[in-house]
């Protein structure tokens, strides 16, 4: 099947020579083509260019029938890549949200049995099937919002059986939706009540039982640790990462959200694919990241939602670092998987330019989930994950019009996706 999109007002983020990530000053550049065409052959981008160069006979239209879409007045973007979510969870936590409005901090809520442990309790009481259906509502929602690849973490299980339950749900999602899905084992997301006085015993359980079980079923690509004040220490993180690496899991770290935790340093030491959050990032963390292969991944939705200080994105980019952004979609710190809103927050809160936020949610975020060779830009041979906007005046309008849904047509793996409005979750929050 061939799919030709023609008369595109502007084709955004094209690459003739694909790069795996974009750093520093280069983040303010985009390879855009005005009045363009995009030709997709089956599930792959086959060709693109200016309309004046479109030669139907030279396109190499191998397969018939050929479907043609007209994108006059509209922009085509590569789909968003969202490299940090916790979107497999049960229920919601809007009562904690009210607590936060009344003045409780994230850590105070966690100490009162709310937070991650609250979601773990809910998840324990939810069947695998129900969990899958609740999560698929969120999957369908992010598809309509323009996401084409997503990373999903475990970490609301916190027992062997429940962590496996979560990761089996991720596997089922992978098999039943057109998104590219990567799975991360995050057993070290919080210390369960039972191990409160003996955290190291829980770390032992992760190392001796959970990692071997998760990897024997091939349920995860990556391993993550919440290395922060009140959660897991640098020593715990090292022990877990060393075992994860032994079992073939690449590290990705939750680092420096609540404190200067040493999470960035330990992540870089173990060649983590990404270190995420980074609300508390100073010169030392930036120096460590320079020259490393680790992608700093910012989650402006959770900093916004929790009222945390914003990570120093400008300082990072000015120092020559790449920056990626993700939604952190989860019930406690960021109940939204809207990557267009993440772009707006990147511009408004982190003072990033529209070109920089586009790079941060496409090519650099693809890198942060090990997908930048196949996703994250319009390049020949890459997977045909793109969206067509409604009529808009410029690409800057995307982050500028922060509350408008500007996505008209979603194409994943070369197929036009039928986007139905998502069904709202049924049950009310309880504490
Ligand atoms: O990335 N910081 C740790 N984990 C999540 C929040 C999870 C939750 O509150 O349920 C995050 O923000
Ligand atoms: Fe997170």
């Amino acid at each position: 099947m061939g799919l030709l999109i023609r008369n595109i007002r502007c084709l955004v983020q094209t690459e003739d020579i694909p790069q795996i990530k974009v750093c520093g000053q280069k983040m303010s550049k985009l390879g855009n083509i005005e009045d363009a065409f995009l030709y997709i052959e089956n599930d792959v981008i086959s060709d693109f260019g200016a309309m004046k160069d479109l030669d139907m006979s030279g396109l190499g239209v191998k397969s018939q029938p050929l479907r043609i879409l007209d994108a006059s007045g509209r922009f085509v973007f590569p789909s968003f890549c969202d490299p940090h979510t916790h979107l497999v969870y049960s229920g919601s936590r809007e009562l904690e949200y009210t607590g936060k409005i009344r003045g409780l901090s994230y850590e105070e809520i966690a100490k009162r049995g709310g937070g991650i442990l609250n979601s773990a309790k809910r998840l324990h009481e939810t069947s695998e099937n129900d969990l899958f259906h609740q999560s698929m509502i969120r999957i369908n929602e992010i598809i309509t919002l323009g996401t084409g690849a997503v990373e999903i973490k475990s970490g609301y299980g916190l027992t062997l059986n429940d962590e496996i339950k979560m990761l089996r749900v991720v596997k089922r999602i992978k098999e039943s939706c057109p998104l590219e899905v990567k799975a991360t084992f995050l057993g070290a997301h919080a210390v369960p009540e039972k191990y409160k006085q003996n955290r190291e015993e829980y770390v032992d359980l992760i190392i001796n039982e959970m990692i071997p079980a998760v990897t024997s079923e091939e349920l995860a690509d990556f391993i993550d640790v919440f290395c922060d004040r009140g959660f897991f220490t640098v020593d715990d993180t090292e022990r877990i990462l060393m075992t994860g690496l032994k079992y073939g899991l690449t590290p990705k770290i939750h680092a420096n959200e609540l404190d200067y935790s040493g999470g960035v340093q330990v992540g870089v030491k173990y060649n983590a694919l990404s270190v995420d959050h980074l609300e508390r990032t100073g010169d030392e963390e930036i120096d460590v990241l320079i020259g490393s292969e680790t992608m700093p991944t910012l989650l402006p939705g959770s900093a916004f939602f929790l009222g945390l200080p914003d990570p120093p994105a400008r300082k990072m980019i000015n120092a020559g670092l790449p920056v990626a952004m993700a939604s952190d979609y989860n019930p406690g710190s960021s109940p939204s998987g809207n990557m267009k809103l993440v772009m707006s927050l990147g511009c408004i809160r982190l003072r990033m330019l529209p070109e920089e936020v586009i790079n941060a949610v496409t090519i650099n975020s693809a890198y942060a989930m090990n997908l930048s060779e196949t996703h994250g830009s319009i390049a020949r041979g890459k997977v045909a994950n793109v969206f067509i906007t409604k009529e808009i005046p410029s690409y800057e309008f995307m982050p500028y019009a922060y509350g408008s849904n500007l996505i008209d047509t979603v194409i994943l793996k070369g197929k036009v996706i039928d986007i139905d409005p998502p069904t709202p979750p049924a049950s009310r929050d309880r504490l």
Side-chain angles (χ1 to χ4, degrees):
M1 172 85 182
L3 174 63
L4 175 67
I5 311 174
R6 66 181 176 195
N7 300 325
I8 303 168
R9 173 153 175 191
C10 180
L11 181 60
V12 180
Q13 182 72 314
T14 65
E15 291 187 303
D16 282 319
I17 303 165
Q19 310 172 77
I20 55 165
K21 61 180 172 182
V22 189
C23 305
Q25 282 184 353
K26 286 199 181 137
M27 282 193 71
S28 58
K29 307 263 179 307
L30 288 175
N32 294 350
I33 303 175
E34 312 247 318
D35 192 18
F37 75 90
L38 173 66
Y39 177 61
I40 293 165
E41 182 88 26
N42 298 320
D43 55 355
V44 166
I45 294 172
S46 172
D47 203 5
F48 59 86
M51 275 304 285
K52 65 175 170 45
D53 299 325
L54 173 60
D55 167 9
M56 292 295 280
S57 58
L59 258 191
V61 181
K62 296 173 207 110
S63 49
Q64 292 297 335
L66 175 67
R67 180 169 178 188
I68 299 179
L69 296 177
D70 188 280
S72 301
R74 293 169 311 139
F75 285 57
V76 173
F77 281 73
S79 298
F80 300 129
C81 295
D82 189 350
H84 181 140
T85 82
H86 310 248
L87 68 71
V88 170
Y89 59 83
S90 179
S92 53
R93 303 212 314 255
E94 65 272 20
L95 296 185
E96 289 177 15
Y97 167 71
T98 315
K100 271 178 223 139
I101 294 167
R102 291 184 198 278
L104 294 178
S105 72
Y106 184 75
E107 286 159 293
E108 282 162 345
I109 287 171
K111 283 205 186 100
R112 291 176 184 206
I116 296 165
L117 295 184
N118 184 7
S119 287
K121 188 165 175 288
R122 286 276 190 96
L123 187 128
H124 180 69
E125 293 161 356
T126 307
S127 72
E128 193 173 311
N129 208 28
D130 187 6
L131 190 60
F132 170 73
H133 289 291
Q134 290 191 42
S135 306
M136 278 305 288
I137 292 172
R138 299 179 198 117
I139 288 288
N140 289 328
E141 179 197 16
I142 65 170
I143 289 173
T144 67
L145 294 170
T147 295
V150 66
E151 180 258 18
I152 309 173
K153 299 175 195 296
S154 70
Y156 293 124
L158 309 180
T159 64
L160 176 62
N161 287 347
D162 288 342
E163 285 293 305
I164 296 281
K165 174 162 89 178
M166 282 190 84
L167 289 168
R168 285 190 185 143
V169 167
V170 177
K171 187 173 179 199
R172 206 168 144 195
I173 291 172
K174 200 184 285 201
E175 289 161 359
S176 34
C177 80
L179 291 178
E180 191 64 38
V181 176
K182 292 277 188 177
T184 299
F185 169 59
L186 176 57
H189 195 195
V191 181
E193 204 52 56
K194 187 172 149 197
Y195 296 94
K196 270 278 172 289
Q197 302 312 321
N198 202 348
R199 198 189 61 250
E200 283 180 14
E201 218 176 280
Y202 182 59
V203 174
D204 289 341
L205 179 75
I206 292 175
I207 288 174
N208 298 327
E209 294 184 34
M210 292 189 187
I211 294 175
V214 164
T215 49
S216 77
E217 269 194 58
E218 297 185 7
L219 291 174
D221 304 289
F222 310 125
I223 185 158
D224 196 343
V225 177
F226 188 9
C227 178
D228 224 320
R229 187 179 69 208
F231 288 83
F232 292 88
T233 65
V234 168
D235 281 352
D236 300 334
T237 308
E238 291 215 41
R239 291 182 61 209
I240 294 168
L241 295 190
M242 277 193 287
T243 310
L245 281 163
K246 210 172 84 194
Y247 281 85
L249 301 175
T250 303
K252 276 167 77 70
I253 308 289
H254 275 73
N256 299 46
E257 174 184 3
L258 307 171
D259 206 350
Y260 292 86
S261 62
V264 172
Q265 289 84 337
V266 72
V268 170
K269 180 172 171 191
Y270 288 91
N271 204 15
L273 188 55
S274 70
V275 285
D276 303 20
H277 271 290
L278 313 185
E279 283 82 359
R280 325 279 165 165
T281 295
D283 293 341
E284 195 186 317
E285 282 78 10
I286 291 181
D287 284 349
V288 165
L289 283 164
I290 291 172
S292 78
E293 301 294 310
T294 300
M295 177 63 70
T297 299
L298 310 182
L299 315 171
S302 55
F304 164 71
F305 191 80
L306 296 180
L308 299 175
D310 292 309
R314 275 268 53 91
K315 214 169 154 185
M316 293 177 183
I317 295 172
N318 293 345
L321 287 175
V323 162
M325 293 196 298
S327 74
D328 199 15
Y329 198 172
N330 76 76
S333 68
S334 185
S336 167
N338 187 335
M339 291 295 280
K340 178 176 164 293
L341 177 61
V342 167
M343 283 205 292
S344 300
L345 292 171
C347 291
I348 297 163
R349 310 272 322 179
L350 309 185
R351 316 311 302 169
M352 290 167 70
L353 297 168
E355 296 81 1
E356 291 171 334
V357 295
I358 292 171
N359 275 307
V361 297
T362 56
I363 190 69
N364 283 355
S365 55
Y367 179 94
M369 51 201 299
N370 220 351
L371 282 177
S372 61
E373 284 177 12
T374 48
H375 295 73
S377 67
I378 308 282
R380 293 173 188 86
K382 281 200 176 184
V383 175
N385 282 3
V386 303
F387 61 80
I388 308 175
T389 67
K390 295 178 180 163
E391 287 201 17
I392 56 172
S394 61
Y395 63 82
E396 291 93 337
F397 194 82
M398 284 291 278
Y400 159 82
Y402 73 92
S404 305
N405 175 10
L406 300 175
I407 295 171
D408 181 71
T409 306
V410 169
I411 295 165
L412 293 176
K413 297 183 178 153
K415 288 203 175 62
V416 177
I417 305 292
D418 179 22
I419 44 186
D420 289 322
T423 332
S427 63
R428 195 184 142 79
D429 184 21
R430 57 171 167 78
L431 263 180

